[in-house]
């Protein structure tokens, strides 16, 4: 296995995922005091409104992702990422100053526009930097999302416990985005892969790449898997702190510690997957992780103590962590087409999955309680297992068919692992 090498732009990408996590987690972590101050308390029927805040982020994120291929074609990935980080940061700062729910909602719409470009372009940008064995770099870079979650929830838990306002946490999460934005916007040396990643293209090329990808049947299987993977992962991330505070009468510190357990597990899962799981083993990783995720999350509604919950959250994070980068990267090896457009469209499934299932848990939480609504999470992971299992069976049949065909013709051709079959 080759040695991994990193540049300044790798650092910028890692920090981008970190501050992206700050923006994503600042509201969930402060949701209980925030909802009280802005007059939609969670224990007073406000869970649906709380879940709607994720839709406020998800809807503009999807709109931005659908356009970010054109944005990157016009200004290049590097500049587009730098500007989008500044947009996300501005939204979070405005959210921290919001006097009532409507302003908070609009601020998250603004932040969501920036986050959509980040979500759409950060992963293919890393792919451009490391076109060979990209799965390792993707998992390692995405692990900094978990680092960001870990830092944010522990810090916020301490600050809320000692009486610091949730507003300062949201504002600080926005200001942190200035660092990676500057790293991206300051131009590097010509001739580097980072410069190549800024190559522009016209809108006709972008549309052509999109049409080629969506006409492939296998793409929709991975698209659906990303939808459910995003839903399962982010429901745990978004609702964990509120679950602990409402169902276990936990403090803000306990809520932060529980969310940190899940984030730490995600970091471990992504970091070590990036170090040790080779590209051709990503499918096995996804299937094993999906099966274990169902088993580990299913008991959540019936737990009565925080310590078993913390342990299961950590283990759930380990197995759920690699889903997002691994499904995306594995999809680029199984589907013929432009990898940038493919990853953008995959994220267009994952982000709505986050929003839809976060909202559903809030709606069901108002009806049947937050505990039982958590059964949506293992359902999401079960769907990932079934969808990726189908692709694994299809791949096995293709290989057997090619082997038999090669034997009939007197030769055994190599099976292309990086392209789609003619039938797709």
């Amino acid at each position: 296995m080759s040695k991994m090498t990193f540049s300044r732009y790798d650092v910028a990408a890692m920090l981008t995922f970190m501050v992206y996590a700050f923006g994503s987690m600042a509201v969930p972590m402060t949701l209980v005091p925030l909802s009280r101050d802005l007059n939609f308390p969670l224990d007073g029927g406000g869970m649906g409104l709380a879940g709607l805040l994720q839709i406020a982020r998800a809807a503009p994120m999807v709109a931005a992702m659908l356009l970010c291929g054109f944005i990157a074609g016009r200004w290049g990935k590097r500049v587009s990422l730098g500007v989008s980080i500044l947009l996300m940061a501005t939204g979070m700062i405005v959210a921290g100053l919001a006097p009532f729910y409507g302003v908070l909602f609009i601020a998250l719409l603004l932040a969501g526009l920036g986050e959509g470009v980040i979500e759409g372009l950060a992963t293919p940008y890393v792919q451009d930097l490391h076109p060979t064995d990209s799965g390792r770099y993707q998992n390692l870079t995405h692990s900094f999302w978990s680092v960001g979650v870990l830092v944010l929830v522990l810090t916020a838990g301490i600050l809320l416990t000692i009486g610091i306002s949730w507003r300062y946490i949201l504002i600080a999460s926005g200001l942190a985005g200035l660092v990676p934005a500057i790293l991206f916007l300051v131009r590097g040396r010509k001739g580097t892969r980072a410069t190549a990643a800024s190559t522009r293209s016209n809108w006709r090329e972008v549309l052509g790449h999109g049409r080629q990808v969506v006409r492939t049947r296998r793409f929709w299987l991975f698209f659906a898997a990303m939808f459910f993977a995003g839903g399962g992962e982010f429901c745990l991330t978004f609702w964990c702190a509120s679950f602990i505070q409402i169902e276990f009468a936990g403090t803000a510190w306990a809520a932060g510690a529980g969310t940190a357990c899940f984030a730490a597990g995600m970091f471990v899962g992504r970091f070590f997957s990036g170090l040790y799981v080779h590209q051709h083993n990503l499918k096995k990783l996804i299937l094993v992780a999906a099966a274990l995720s169902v088993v580990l999350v299913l008991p959540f509604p019936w737990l009565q103590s925080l310590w078993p919950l913390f342990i299961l959250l950590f283990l759930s994070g380990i197995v759920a962590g690699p889903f997002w980068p691994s499904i995306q990267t594995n999809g680029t090896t199984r589907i013929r087409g432009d990898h940038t457009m493919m990853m953008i469209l995959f994220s267009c499934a994952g982000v709505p999955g986050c929003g839809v299932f976060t909202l559903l848990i809030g709606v069901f939480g108002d009806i049947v309680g937050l505990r039982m609504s958590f059964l949506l999470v293992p359902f999401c992971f079960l769907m990932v297992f079934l969808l990726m299992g189908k692709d694994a069976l299809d791949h096995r049949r293709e290989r057997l068919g090619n082997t038999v065909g090669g034997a009939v013709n007197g030769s055994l051709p190599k099976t292309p692992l990086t392209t789609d079959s003619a039938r797709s």
Side-chain angles (χ1 to χ4, degrees), residues 21-34 149-161 166 169-170 237-242 244-245 251-260:
F22 288 172
S24 298
M25 284 306 303
V27 170
M29 188 59 206
T30 61
L31 193 55
V32 172
L34 180 155
V149 173
L150 190 62
V151 171
L152 188 284
V153 298
L154 290 177
T155 304
I158 294 171
L159 294 177
L160 291 172
T161 300
W166 58 270
I169 296 171
L170 267 62
T237 306
F238 186 96
W239 282 109
C240 181
S242 300
I244 291 170
Q245 289 174 286
T251 63
W253 169 246
T259 310

Side-chain angles (χ1 to χ4, degrees), residues 84-147:
S84 66
I85 295 169
L86 293 178
L87 187 60
M88 175 188 71
T90 302
M92 292 309 302
I93 292 170
V94 174
L97 300 173
F100 51 86
Y101 182 91
V103 175
L104 175 66
F105 191 91
I106 293 171
L108 292 180
L109 288 174
L110 180 64
L113 288 172
E115 289 172 329
V117 178
I118 294 170
E119 183 60 54
L121 295 183
T123 300
Y125 186 80
V126 175
Q127 184 96 2
D128 288 341
L129 293 176
H130 305 283
T132 304
D133 204 14
S134 60
R136 298 172 67 200
Y137 287 94
Q138 295 289 11
N139 269 301
L140 192 61
T141 305
H142 276 256
S143 72
F144 278 81
W145 158 274
S146 306
V147 174

Side-chain angles (χ1 to χ4, degrees), residues 59 75 107 113 157 181 229 241 278 359 389 395:
W75 291 287
L113 288 172
H278 199 273
L359 175 61
H395 191 196

Side-chain angles (χ1 to χ4, degrees), residues 396-409 411-413 415:
R396 180 179 175 83
R397 283 195 293 266
E398 291 164 15
R399 295 177 65 183
L400 290 174
N402 287 340
T403 300
V404 171
V408 170
N409 293 316
S411 63
L412 294 176
T415 303

Side-chain angles (χ1 to χ4, degrees), residues 1 14 36 55 66 71 139 146 151 179 209 230-231 253 258 269 347 389 424:
M1 191 174 290
M14 293 172 185
R36 290 171 183 161
I55 298 295
L66 289 172
I71 294 171
N139 269 301
S146 306
V151 171
V179 178
H209 293 322
W253 169 246
S347 293
S424 297

Side-chain angles (χ1 to χ4, degrees), residues 292-312:
L292 290 175
S293 294
V294 175
V295 173
L296 290 170
V297 178
L298 193 58
F300 277 28
W302 295 281
L303 295 176
Q304 299 299 321
S305 172
L306 280 176
W307 285 110
L309 176 64
F310 287 173
I311 293 170
L312 288 178

